[in-house]
Amino acid sequence: MSWESKVKKTIPYTAGEQPKDRNIIKLNTNECPYPPAPGVLDAIDALKSRASDLRLYPDMNATALVDALAAFYQIDSSKIFVGVGSDDVLALCFLTFFGSGDPILFPEITYSFYPVWADLYKIPYKQIPLTPEMTIDPFEYAPGLTHVKNGGIIFPNPNAPTGVEEPLSKIERILRANPDSVVIVDEAYIDFGGTSALPLIDRYDNLLVVQTFSKSRSLAGMRIGFAMGNEKLIGYLKDVKFSFNSYTMNLPSIMIGKAAVEDRSYFEETTGKIVKTRERFKEALKELGFVFPDSKANFVFAAHPDFSGDYLFTELRKRNIVVRHWNSPAIREYLRITIGTDEQMDAVIKALAEITATAQNTNQ
Ligand SMILES: *Cc1c(COP(=O)(O)O)cnc(C)c1O
């Protein structure tokens, strides 16, 4: 009928809101409340003297950034792939590793971008329910039991939006049961006290670990993410990237990302502060009667038995506090609250105390 019948139609991912008002306490997209490492400012200054280099294409291997990551994680540069945020890296992974035609597996409650990429690339998928404790049951990911075959496996660890961390023993069980599939562990939140699966890449050639600069390195605005795995996996990822867009990492990203990675003590200090604030926040939430799975991320996924998620979200919003809330039936009673500064979390606790003390019980 018209050109529209030829268009690829897809339902995009819905990101958390980015409010313009600076007075809002923004705890809805898991950004870091602290500024990037001081070295990032120096890198921005240094960029001035390299402004004329912007007429050239950047290094398509982003060598300076990859080498800084290799030094930080004590692995060979050939085992690292960088991209424009981990969303870019993960989208390329779906394209590279998940195209066999067999359904890929991921948890029913997880990062809501996974089904969006699967639909975009027409990859069939099966969502595996979490246990009542919101943990992953590795048994459910074993081929031959619930499904004959799978085309790949992906899950975040800690999971989002639950914050629940799985032990490496469980991840190894999934890896051992699936030598014929690529298993991707999305470690967007691993730096807040979790144990990375990175040491397992030498033992499992089907494991890819994906991380980001957006949460623990205070650089969501820069868009840097990376994958770590054996050279063969990384090589296949590069082949697809170089068949799509060779120059995804621009010169400022490479220089600023390198500066951020090189400051280990600032990274440890800020992530340590967030962990401390999180633990204090959990205690305060408990005292107010909230329930939540134990979080190892920079957010807490909490519900209150007497108040609906929608009500709590709206009341917080009235007090200029923005958290994340989804309307899907399985998680509608929960709020995902990002851990900000101590002052911000004190404000949240004060608001929640007020809301739960004075309001009508809305969840009957
Ligand atoms: C935030 C997030 C990402 C994406 O982060 P980028 O900003 O694209 O690096 C990926 N996976 C999960 C689970 C996340 O929460």
Side-chain angles (χ1 to χ4, degrees):
M1 181 137 155
S2 74
W3 54 267
E4 277 197 281
S5 63
K6 295 174 181 154
V7 171
K8 179 168 198 115
K9 292 168 197 84
T10 188
I11 301 167
Y13 170 74
T14 317
E17 166 195 12
Q18 293 290 346
K20 298 251 164 2
D21 183 352
R22 286 282 178 156
N23 294 319
I24 275 176
I25 298 184
K26 186 182 179 306
L27 304 173
N28 66 336
T29 51
N30 299 338
E31 290 132 328
C32 182
Y34 303 109
V40 165
L41 271 185
D42 299 332
I44 291 169
D45 282 342
L47 260 171
K48 277 192 190 162
S49 64
R50 289 193 63 182
S52 71
D53 286 349
L54 291 176
R55 75 195 168 78
L56 302 171
Y57 282 105
D59 169 12
M60 63 183 187
N61 288 304
T63 310
L65 176 56
V66 167
D67 287 351
L69 285 165
F72 187 93
Y73 291 103
Q74 298 281 293
I75 61 173
D76 197 83
S77 297
S78 61
K79 294 179 174 161
I80 302 175
F81 176 88
V82 295
V84 186
S86 55
D87 286 341
D88 176 50
V89 175
L90 290 166
L92 277 173
C93 288
F94 271 59
L95 190 57
T96 310
F97 302 118
F98 289 170
S100 72
D102 293 322
I104 63 164
L105 311 179
F106 51 82
E108 204 164 65
I109 298 173
T110 196
Y111 190 35
S112 49
F113 225 136
Y114 300 159
V116 173
W117 287 314
D119 287 337
L120 179 65
Y121 296 133
K122 300 193 165 47
I123 298 166
Y125 59 91
K126 189 168 171 187
Q127 292 180 273
I128 313 289
L130 296 176
T131 69
E133 293 74 42
M134 293 190 175
T135 61
I136 286 172
D137 180 357
F139 192 75
E140 298 276 349
Y141 291 79
L145 293 166
T146 41
H147 4 260
V148 181
K149 263 187 180 176
N150 67 65
I153 294 171
I154 181 164
F155 53 89
N157 194 41
N159 195 7
T162 64
V164 174
E165 188 198 20
E166 300 295 351
L168 291 189
S169 57
K170 259 198 211 180
I171 294 174
E172 281 206 73
R173 276 182 65 189
I174 293 172
L175 284 162
R176 272 202 300 270
N178 292 281
D180 298 331
S181 296
V182 173
V183 176
I184 300 175
V185 183
D186 178 353
E187 293 191 335
Y189 302 105
I190 201 64
D191 296 324
F192 304 102
T195 302
S196 175
L198 180 61
L200 300 180
I201 65 170
D202 291 327
R203 278 193 283 138
Y204 298 94
D205 64 359
N206 58 330
L207 168 65
L208 203 62
V209 173
V210 175
Q211 297 189 6
T212 173
F213 283 49
S214 298
K215 279 66 184 236
S216 57
R217 295 185 189 274
S218 306
L219 282 175
M222 219 42 233
R223 312 303 301 128
I224 304 173
F226 55 107
M228 298 180 284
N230 79 73
E231 299 95 300
K232 219 168 169 182
L233 278 178
I234 298 298
Y236 283 124
L237 206 43
K238 283 183 181 168
D239 287 346
V240 169
K241 179 230 159 120
F242 293 136
S243 308
F244 190 79
N245 177 359
S246 301
Y247 301 106
T248 57
M249 303 304 291
N250 60 51
L251 180 66
S253 297
I254 295 169
M255 290 178 68
I256 288 169
K258 173 179 186 285
V261 181
E262 283 175 344
D263 196 338
R264 188 185 289 268
S265 68
Y266 183 81
F267 168 74
E268 283 170 0
E269 181 195 325
T270 47
T271 50
K273 271 203 280 200
I274 289 164
V275 169
K276 239 181 166 171
T277 307
R278 176 188 71 206
E279 295 309 310
R280 205 172 60 86
F281 183 63
K282 283 183 195 167
E283 286 308 310
L285 276 183
K286 240 181 246 166
E287 272 172 40
L288 292 175
F290 281 84
V291 290
F292 48 89
D294 192 35
S295 169
K296 274 289 178 77
N298 67 337
F299 56 81
V300 178
F301 193 54
H304 196 291
D306 300 331
F307 300 91
S308 74
D310 190 46
Y311 178 77
L312 294 168
F313 175 82
T314 309
E315 286 300 311
L316 283 174
R317 184 81 224 220
K318 281 185 197 161
R319 290 161 177 83
N320 273 339
I321 297 169
V322 183
V323 299
R324 195 86 196 263
H325 174 246
W326 289 268
N327 256 325
S328 66
I331 56 172
R332 63 160 24 116
E333 301 312 338
Y334 285 85
L335 303 177
R336 192 196 66 189
I337 308 169
T338 303
I339 302 300
T341 61
D342 277 321
E343 296 70 37
Q344 289 176 319
M345 301 328 279
D346 286 345
V348 175
I349 288 300
K350 187 163 165 266
L352 288 175
E354 207 176 281
I355 294 162
T356 53
T358 60
Q360 293 287 312
N361 185 322
T362 59
N363 206 14
Q364 298 295 319

